Amino acid sequence: MKKTAIRLLALMLALVMCFSLGACGDKNNGNNDDAYGDLGGDINFDGTVSGEGNVNADGSFGGEISQSSRQDVFKNIPKKLKGTTVTFAHWGDEGGAEYVKVAKAFTKATGINVKWQLYNQTTYEADIAKQIVAGKGPDIIILNDKIPQIYSVAMELPKIFNINDGFWDPRVTEQTKFKGKSYFVNSYYSPYVPTAGIVVYNKKIFNDNGLTSPVDYINQGNWTWETFKQCMLDADKIGYYGGVLDPYLMGLTMGTGFMSYDAKTGKLSANKNNEAMLKSLKFYAECRAEGLVGNYLIAQYPAGNIAMLTTDAYAIKKNGYLKDMSASDFGAVRMPDSFEGKPCNYGGVGLRAYGLAKNAKNPEGAYYFLRYFLDVDNCNKDANIFGNKEMQKFYSQTVLKAYRENNLKMSVLGGPLTMIDLNWTHSEIFKELRRQSPEQMAVELEKIMNTFQNAVDESNKKLDSYK
């Protein structure tokens, strides 16, 4: 297991969530979920803060609706909807086998059918636009950091969506408004909440070799980026790879990203203060210089010889990034709490939301399916969407709880860069950034600010063109 082989070249700043931050889906249809490498997946750039929803002043989540009460909405579904079909446009995530089981349970309970419509994630919005023109468009669409493109195919939410009913998270809707209109939702109970990222660690490496694990550091009250690095160092000393580190996810625990969307103005802007991103990039460069991170991808993690991984919650899904790895062989914990003695609680998150396509044929049926589908308890009841019960518990007690209680600062905008280059993830400029030493990182980061500004300018032109 010593690192004698040449490591595979990583695609820099590769499409996540293909992410997400937000998450990538299947490997079919040209999707690139294996491209989530060291410098982060879908660059989910930081958005603005608005609306606290049901989050109380003390940070707790108020007004939680019981699971049984959340089912009341399905008791009075109009009879006219029975036998109708809702079409869901996806690229592999939501249409995975376990989620199909959830849809079938919904059909059994309501009489409303669900049809999955598969698209290529890279050209998702453009392909949907063509289908809409042909009269074959879907009902439900996904927003996965693709502003401005998604507004070209989105329909304003009908009145049946009561954003303040306690189920939906109004923060998501507020931060994705366009020209004063609401287009997207997510729920406080969603299996696909926007998340700031998680840390996965290889249990076998730590347990079998008596190494101090992330859980040990958490129990000591000492879970920091410095101890994260120590975990990699300990694994490296005994012949394992240190980790797959995404400095963008790290940066979002400390501050803003490169671009922001302001729902009040409907405009994008390039963020001038990149201190948080610079710190995370330098940390990455230092770890790379020490041989702790390098040219290997998240797709290699299931091989079992990499100790640490910064990623998003899709990794703990049964059909997620690590589906080829036994879920009992890895654990998941929250992102580190501090860096250089300062708290890491900024709360930047990837953006995941759901809406209706223009000319949707069954918007009312779509509403009821989203109410059912975006309730993780329904998903857990009807299928096994997580790798195992431990991952299910981690999602509910850590990921979902943090999402509800924290301020939500949307890290959106994988879309702007694709406005100037559909294949921007392969750009030499980002590969060059990735190769920099810690000392040169600030200079190189400043160089690519023109790229971000160009992306902002082109995106704003497109936003201006939308009615």
Side-chain angles (χ1 to χ4, degrees):
M1 285 177 288
K2 278 290 184 182
K3 295 168 282 184
T4 56
I6 297 176
R7 295 172 176 175
L8 298 176
L9 292 177
L11 296 176
M12 286 330 306
L13 298 168
L15 216 56
V16 179
M17 278 159 110
C18 231
F19 174 141
S20 178
L21 308 148
C24 270
D26 264 342
K27 296 179 183 177
N28 58 25
N29 227 20
N31 295 329
N32 194 25
D33 52 274
D34 284 351
Y36 179 55
D38 292 338
L39 253 184
D42 200 9
I43 296 196
N44 306 313
F45 301 107
D46 189 74
T48 56
V49 185
S50 60
E52 292 303 316
N54 278 15
V55 180
N56 296 325
D58 63 358
S60 63
F61 178 64
E64 184 167 357
I65 305 171
S66 68
Q67 182 182 2
S68 60
S69 296
R70 298 199 300 272
Q71 305 308 306
D72 289 344
V73 68
F74 305 109
K75 295 178 180 179
N76 299 308
I77 294 178
K79 293 181 179 180
K80 65 179 181 178
L81 294 179
K82 189 172 184 178
T84 64
T85 298
V86 172
T87 304
F88 197 132
H90 70 109
W91 52 80
D93 288 12
E94 284 81 355
E98 295 302 315
Y99 293 102
V100 170
K101 294 178 183 178
V102 178
K104 288 181 178 179
F106 168 79
T107 298
K108 183 177 180 180
T110 66
I112 301 172
N113 301 304
V114 179
K115 178 181 178 181
W116 302 94
Q117 201 173 70
L118 184 64
Y119 289 84
N120 184 314
Q121 186 177 4
T122 304
T123 56
Y124 180 77
E125 296 81 10
D127 293 343
I128 288 176
K130 294 176 183 177
Q131 291 294 97
I132 291 174
V133 171
K136 300 178 181 179
D139 293 303
I140 297 173
I141 57 175
I142 309 166
L143 168 57
N144 190 47
D145 302 322
K146 293 292 286 295
I147 291 174
Q149 293 91 329
I150 195 68
Y151 292 118
S152 67
V153 295
M155 177 180 109
E156 184 180 4
L157 293 175
K159 292 182 179 179
I160 192 173
F161 285 87
N162 178 5
I163 302 305
N164 297 304
D165 66 1
F167 177 80
W168 304 112
D169 183 348
R171 300 172 298 177
V172 173
T173 304
E174 282 296 316
Q175 293 187 49
T176 58
K177 279 185 175 180
F178 180 57
K179 294 186 177 180
K181 297 179 180 179
S182 298
Y183 288 90
F184 294 97
V185 296
N186 208 331
S187 83
Y188 283 118
Y189 310 90
S190 175
Y192 276 100
V193 294
T195 57
I198 63 172
V199 172
V200 167
Y201 68 100
N202 188 305
K203 282 184 177 180
K204 290 180 67 64
I205 291 176
F206 286 89
N207 294 344
D208 292 353
N209 296 283
L211 303 181
T212 304
S213 73
V215 170
D216 294 328
Y217 283 116
I218 288 174
N219 290 337
Q220 295 169 13
N222 189 28
W223 183 224
T224 69
W225 283 107
E226 288 82 4
T227 53
F228 174 96
K229 182 178 179 180
Q230 188 61 52
C231 286
M232 293 196 295
L233 283 166
D234 291 343
D236 179 78
K237 288 176 182 177
I238 58 174
Y240 292 92
Y241 293 110
V244 180
L245 172 63
D246 180 350
Y248 192 79
L249 287 177
M250 176 185 177
L252 288 179
T253 68
M254 296 186 286
T256 60
F258 297 115
M259 295 183 245
S260 298
Y261 172 70
D262 187 342
K264 293 181 179 179
T265 63
K267 297 285 187 180
L268 296 160
S269 62
N271 294 329
K272 303 301 182 183
N273 181 3
N274 291 312
E275 182 181 357
M277 286 297 130
L278 179 58
K279 284 184 177 181
S280 64
L281 286 164
K282 284 184 175 180
F283 181 81
Y284 167 83
E286 290 167 359
C287 292
R288 187 200 66 232
E290 295 179 45
L292 300 179
V293 301
N295 299 326
Y296 41 95
L297 312 175
I298 190 173
Q300 293 170 265
Y301 199 83
N305 59 352
I306 303 173
M308 305 291 287
L309 169 65
T310 54
T311 181
D312 59 76
Y314 192 59
I316 63 174
K317 298 289 185 67
K318 187 174 182 178
N319 67 323
Y321 304 128
L322 306 181
K323 60 180 178 288
D324 296 326
M325 184 178 189
S326 172
S328 62
D329 287 345
F330 65 88
V333 297
R334 65 179 185 267
M335 295 287 263
D337 301 325
S338 70
F339 181 58
E340 296 179 344
K342 296 181 180 179
C344 288
N345 56 5
Y346 178 73
V349 297
L351 177 56
R352 191 73 159 212
Y354 300 82
L356 304 181
K358 287 181 179 178
N359 302 327
K361 297 179 178 63
N362 193 2
E364 196 171 0
Y367 164 80
Y368 285 107
F369 182 60
L370 286 177
R371 278 293 300 243
Y372 192 92
F373 182 77
L374 296 180
D375 189 329
V376 72
D377 286 332
N378 288 333
C379 296
N380 291 333
K381 171 176 61 70
D382 300 331
N384 298 310
I385 68 170
F386 295 99
N388 58 19
K389 292 294 183 182
E390 179 184 344
M391 296 304 159
Q392 177 182 318
K393 181 179 179 181
F394 172 74
Y395 184 85
S396 297
Q397 296 187 4
T398 300
V399 175
L400 203 55
K401 183 176 183 293
Y403 167 74
R404 291 169 174 175
E405 295 179 350
N406 292 346
N407 290 333
L408 205 60
K409 301 176 178 68
M410 290 299 186
S411 308
V412 299
L413 314 180
L417 285 179
T418 58
M419 291 296 299
I420 58 175
D421 180 5
L422 189 62
N423 296 309
W424 63 267
T425 56
H426 302 276
S427 171
E428 283 300 321
I429 195 168
F430 292 113
K431 292 179 183 178
E432 185 63 26
L433 177 65
R434 181 182 175 277
R435 290 190 285 261
Q436 294 306 306
S437 67
E439 295 76 20
Q440 289 296 315
M441 193 61 74
V443 173
E444 194 62 33
L445 181 58
E446 184 62 29
K447 287 181 182 178
I448 67 170
M449 285 311 297
N450 285 337
T451 301
F452 299 134
Q453 188 59 57
N454 290 340
V456 164
D457 293 342
E458 291 303 312
S459 295
N460 283 334
K461 289 179 184 177
K462 182 62 69 173
L463 288 168
D464 287 340
S465 72
Y466 294 152
K467 302 295 184 183

